[in-house]
Amino acid sequence: MKPFRYHRASDIAFACASAAKPAVKFIAGGTNLVDLMKLQIEAPAQLVDITRLPLNGIEETAEGGLRIGALVTNSAAAIDMRVRRRYPLLAQAILAGASTQLRNKATTGGNLLQRTRCAYFYDATKPCNKRVPGSGCAALEGINRMNAVLGVSDDCIAAHPSDMAVAMTTLDARVETITPEGSARTIPIDSLYRAPDNTPHIETVLTPGELITSVLLPPPASGRQVYRKVRDRASFAFALVSVAAIVAREHDRVRATRVAFGGVSYKPWRSAEAEEALAGAAVTRVSFDAAGVAALRSARGYGHNDFKIPLARRTLRATLAEAASLI
Ligand code: SF4
């Protein structure tokens, strides 16, 4: 690890002003950043420790939702009874991620901003446009089994690794931030992440020094919430494919639904195509299959990850069947 300076921030303004400078990074749980520093994939000149900032509460909002502070640990969010009762999808997704030890350290803000687990991103001997812009993408012709099939470009096919963010996307969460100039912004989570295009090293719309302060959950949509994750082993593994779904039935018809996929794109992939296909549809596996076909119509495999396309369709069907109480 390269030497770096360390400052513990005592207020938000100081933290943002410090991190607006080049080569300065925020650190909270550090569950991703420290690994990247050990590998010298990240080599900040200075870390700004934000763990003492007052961003670790979960509070009710006037509109009937919840505001989850950026420093709330994944474990604390998953066991909060308001989260478990009103957003069970979110608790399920968080508990499907990482290990207990990591969830005890990892924070809400850090979870959203964790970097991809593309193996070539972590291998400094291989070309990677995300790590070294313009160097190429080793995953295109390499072992790309874990990589994305939707919304990516030939410059980068990395998948976003978060489970929590997939649930939050289905819940229409908004990310609250503060800039070094002191302005507050609210960003719909679906707009937080930038498509890779030809600049895959720029991953979000956040500006230098802009700090995520909280995530706002609106009142829960009606319907049953389910998170399903398919992975290589039963715990401590990233999703090959995951699906977060909320399904509201009216007799034998789907009244409303929300669907997002994990493991298939550079961001949690909200599927308007699946939601449109399901609007008013009969609650049957045939309808759910049709939604899967619609959702994956624009998907493209890169060889080793071709299997993700049919897997995503089947995972969607199973998740919808569970959410609609067919199984
Ligand atoms: Fe790097 Fe993205 Fe290619 Fe992986 S997919 S090697 S992260 S450019």
Side-chain angles (χ1 to χ4, degrees), residues 55-128:
L55 302 172
N56 57 0
I58 301 179
E59 59 188 42
E60 302 277 348
T61 65
E63 59 176 348
L66 286 181
R67 173 177 283 107
I68 302 177
L71 293 174
V72 171
T73 64
N74 290 175
S75 294
I79 63 167
D80 186 279
M81 286 313 293
R82 294 163 296 182
V83 171
R84 291 167 66 100
R85 287 202 184 101
R86 285 145 61 184
Y87 308 97
L89 174 68
L90 179 57
Q92 290 166 19
I94 292 172
L95 294 175
S99 63
T100 306
Q101 291 90 340
L102 286 167
R103 292 194 295 268
N104 288 343
K105 288 297 287 179
T107 61
T108 301
N111 189 315
L112 294 179
L113 298 181
Q114 64 183 295
R115 312 293 301 275
T116 182
R117 264 52 178 199
C118 173
Y120 300 105
F121 177 66
Y122 289 78
D123 183 348
T125 68
K126 298 290 191 303
C128 171

Side-chain angles (χ1 to χ4, degrees), residues 5-183:
R5 294 190 305 281
Y6 169 87
H7 287 286
R8 178 177 286 155
S10 53
D11 64 72
I12 290 174
F14 170 86
C16 293
S18 303
K21 296 173 192 152
V24 181
K25 292 224 164 250
F26 295 123
I27 187 165
T31 57
N32 188 204
L33 180 58
V34 173
D35 284 347
L36 290 166
M37 289 172 67
K38 287 178 184 168
L39 293 166
Q40 299 187 13
I41 307 299
E42 295 265 18
Q46 180 180 332
L47 290 181
V48 178
D49 181 345
I50 58 171
T51 54
R52 303 295 169 93
L53 300 181
L55 302 172
N56 57 0
I58 301 179
E59 59 188 42
E60 302 277 348
T61 65
E63 59 176 348
L66 286 181
R67 173 177 283 107
I68 302 177
L71 293 174
V72 171
T73 64
N74 290 175
S75 294
I79 63 167
D80 186 279
M81 286 313 293
R82 294 163 296 182
V83 171
R84 291 167 66 100
R85 287 202 184 101
R86 285 145 61 184
Y87 308 97
L89 174 68
L90 179 57
Q92 290 166 19
I94 292 172
L95 294 175
S99 63
T100 306
Q101 291 90 340
L102 286 167
R103 292 194 295 268
N104 288 343
K105 288 297 287 179
T107 61
T108 301
N111 189 315
L112 294 179
L113 298 181
Q114 64 183 295
R115 312 293 301 275
T116 182
R117 264 52 178 199
C118 173
Y120 300 105
F121 177 66
Y122 289 78
D123 183 348
T125 68
K126 298 290 191 303
C128 171
N129 288 322
K130 189 182 281 296
R131 180 168 27 79
V132 182
S135 62
C137 172
L140 281 181
E141 302 294 329
I143 308 293
N144 49 40
R145 184 170 176 275
M146 296 298 291
N147 291 69
V149 295
L150 281 165
V152 287
S153 73
D154 280 351
D155 279 14
C156 180
I157 57 172
H160 196 274
S162 173
D163 293 289
M164 185 193 81
V166 180
M168 285 182 167
T169 298
T170 309
L171 295 168
D172 277 341
R174 285 169 285 154
V175 177
E176 296 183 310
T177 71
I178 193 146
T179 68
E181 295 74 37
S183 318

